[in-house]
Amino acid sequence: MSNLTILRSYAQKAHPETLPPSVLLGFSDKTLTIFDAYPKSVFHFLILPRIRPPLTVFDLASLRTLLKADKAHARSVLDALSEEAEKTKRLIREEMGKRYGYEWDIWTGFHAVPSMEHLHLHVLSADLCSPSMRHKKHYNSFHPTRGFFLPLEDVRGWFDAEPSYLETMRELKKSAYEPLLKEDLACWRCGAAMKNMPTLKAHLQEEWEKEEKAQKAKLQRKRKREEVPEDAAEKKSRLSTAALPCGESDTV
DNA sequence: GTTCTAGAAC
DNA sequence: GTTCTAGAAC
C-alpha cells in the first residue's frame, strides 16, 4: 500500500470519511489529517490540502509546485494547513497530558524534498523517538536546524519578504537539500555527535526522559505556586473574620 | 519501505 | 566467526 501516490489518492477523495479510522484523524472542507504510516516521533500526523479550484492536483503536487502557483491561492492553502495544524496540535497536547502527564513541543513543517507525491505538512512531537526512526536520512530530514525540515512559519514568512526571496526559496533544488540528509548524526537537543543510529536513538530516549523530568518538576513548582496564594487567601479570610470584632479587618 | 552486501565491531 | 550497521539498489 505504500506507494508514492497514496497521499494524492487520499486528497482526491470526495468522501474522506470512507477512509479507515486507522488512517484518517479528521478532515475539513480544505484539508485532511492522517496518521503518518511510519511515525518518526511519539505523535506524527500529516495534513494534506484537498483539491479545490482553481488549484489543481498538479499545483498541489508539492511545496515546490504550490509556491509556483498563484501567490494568493498558495498563501490560502498554507493558511488552511496552518489552521488545521493548530487544531491537531491542541489534540496532541491533550493526548500528551492524558498518556504521559506532561506536554512537550510540537513541530510543523515540510520536507524540502518530499518522498511522496502530494503536498503534506508534518505535525510531529519534538522527540524523534519512535521505532520507525531507523535511518540517518529519516533523522536528518526532521532535525529542526539541519535545513531539510522547513518550518511552516518560515515558509509563510517567505511571502512577506521581497518577491525575489520567494522566487529563490521556491526552487527547492534536490542538489541543494539532499546532501543535508547525509550529514553526520548529532543530537538536535544538545548537539552531541553520535556515531550511529542505535547510539543516537538511545541518547534521544535519555534526552526525552530528561525533558519529562524537567516538565514534571515544572508542573510541581507551578502547583506549589498556585497552592500558596490559596492558603494565604484562606488565612486572610480566617484572620479577617477573627479580626472583625475589632473593626481592623481591611488592614490585614 | 525492503533487500542485499560490504565492512566494521565485537 | 558472528553480529551489527550503513548505504546502495530496487
Side-chain angles (χ1 to χ4, degrees), chain A residues 180-198:
Chain A
L180 300 174
L181 300 178
K182 302 192 177 200
E183 288 191 2
D184 292 344
L185 294 172
C187 172
W188 64 269
R189 288 184 197 263
C190 71
M194 295 289 139
K195 64 178 195 294
N196 54 38
M197 285 300 290

Side-chain angles (χ1 to χ4, degrees), chain A residues 29-218:
Chain A
D29 177 48
K30 296 174 185 165
T31 66
L32 201 145
T33 305
I34 63 169
F35 292 85
D36 191 296
Y38 300 95
K40 303 304 190 297
S41 274
V42 173
F43 298 95
H44 189 176
F45 297 95
L46 302 179
I47 304 184
L48 323 178
R50 300 176 70 185
I51 320 297
R52 290 290 178 266
L55 294 179
T56 66
V57 70
F58 305 107
D59 296 318
L60 295 171
S62 66
L63 184 60
R64 191 169 166 274
T65 58
L66 177 71
L67 296 181
K68 290 193 175 182
D70 173 78
K71 210 168 162 179
H73 286 113
R75 203 197 281 257
S76 80
V77 168
L78 296 181
D79 289 347
L81 294 178
S82 176
E83 195 185 322
E84 210 53 35
E86 287 307 315
K87 286 185 198 162
T88 306
K89 282 164 78 172
R90 284 196 286 275
L91 194 94
I92 293 174
R93 285 195 205 99
E94 255 177 55
E95 264 328 281
M96 285 174 165
K98 271 190 228 162
R99 289 196 222 167
Y100 299 93
Y102 74 107
E103 295 174 10
W104 63 105
D105 281 350
I106 300 167
W107 295 321
T108 58
F110 304 98
H111 279 160
V113 181
S115 52
M116 285 193 284
E117 296 206 32
H118 200 78
L119 182 64
H120 50 286
L121 176 70
H122 292 273
V123 179
L124 73 168
S125 52
D127 49 84
L128 302 184
C129 292
S130 163
S132 298
M133 176 65 82
R134 292 167 57 207
H135 304 298
K136 182 197 252 189
K137 68 174 178 183
H138 291 156
Y139 178 73
N140 281 340
S141 74
F142 289 105
H143 189 297
T145 56
R146 264 284 172 269
F148 191 90
F149 186 76
L150 307 172
L152 173 62
E153 283 318 303
D154 290 5
V155 175
R156 291 174 95 195
W158 298 352
F159 286 77
D160 303 323
E162 293 284 310
S164 65
Y165 189 71
L166 178 62
E167 282 164 30
T168 307
M169 296 310 285
R170 72 186 182 188
E171 289 303 319
L172 297 170
K173 284 207 170 85
K174 266 193 188 185
S175 58
Y177 286 95
E178 276 186 341
L180 300 174
L181 300 178
K182 302 192 177 200
E183 288 191 2
D184 292 344
L185 294 172
C187 172
W188 64 269
R189 288 184 197 263
C190 71
M194 295 289 139
K195 64 178 195 294
N196 54 38
M197 285 300 290
T199 312
L200 172 74
K201 284 170 69 80
H203 176 82
L204 289 177
Q205 197 64 39
E206 284 172 24
E207 288 279 5
W208 185 39
E209 282 156 20
K210 265 196 239 170
E211 169 92 9
E212 175 176 5
K213 276 185 192 156
Q215 291 299 332
K216 286 190 171 169
K218 209 172 153 185

Side-chain angles (χ1 to χ4, degrees), chain A residues 239-249:
Chain A
L239 280 171
S240 47
T241 311
L244 266 175
C246 306
E248 297 289 338
S249 65

